[in-house]
């Protein structure tokens, strides 16, 4: 998964983060509420096929690395 896929996932749920997500953006700075994060995380975990153990202090890049590593 890459940043473009992540942004498409946000669009799927009509989510508009407070800042433009980059790989360096901490997840907590996206400004998404807890329900929004559950929906996004659910899709990411489905893509990865396992729990990702997300920390809100993780960056978007770290989250994408976890998904990509699990997909292999």
């Amino acid at each position: 998964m890459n940043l473009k896929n992540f942004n498409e996932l946000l669009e799927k749920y009509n989510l508009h983060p407070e800042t433009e997500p980059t790989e360096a953006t901490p997840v907590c700075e996206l400004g998404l509420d807890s329900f929004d994060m559950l929906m996004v995380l659910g899709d990411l975990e489905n893509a990865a096929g396992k729990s990702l153990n997300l920390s809100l202090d993780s960056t978007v890049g770290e989250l994408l690395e976890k998904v990509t590593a699990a997909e292999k």
Side-chain angles (χ1 to χ4, degrees):
M1 175 169 283
N2 59 35
L3 190 57
K4 179 182 177 194
N5 300 131
F6 182 77
N7 286 326
E8 289 170 352
L9 179 59
L10 295 178
E11 288 179 26
K12 172 183 174 182
Y13 291 111
N14 199 29
L15 301 175
H16 305 284
E18 294 174 359
T19 60
E20 182 69 28
T22 68
E23 291 191 6
T25 305
V27 173
C28 63
E29 290 184 13
L30 293 175
L32 305 178
D33 65 30
S34 57
F35 182 72
D36 294 337
M37 283 307 304
L38 284 174
M39 291 188 308
V40 170
L41 184 58
D43 274 17
L44 293 173
E45 288 180 339
N46 283 338
K50 67 177 192 172
S51 177
L52 298 175
N53 300 319
L54 172 69
S55 164
L56 293 178
D57 292 329
S58 298
T59 65
V60 170
E62 291 168 338
L63 179 59
L64 296 176
E65 286 175 14
K66 288 182 181 181
V67 173
T68 301
E71 290 176 332
K72 293 180 179 183

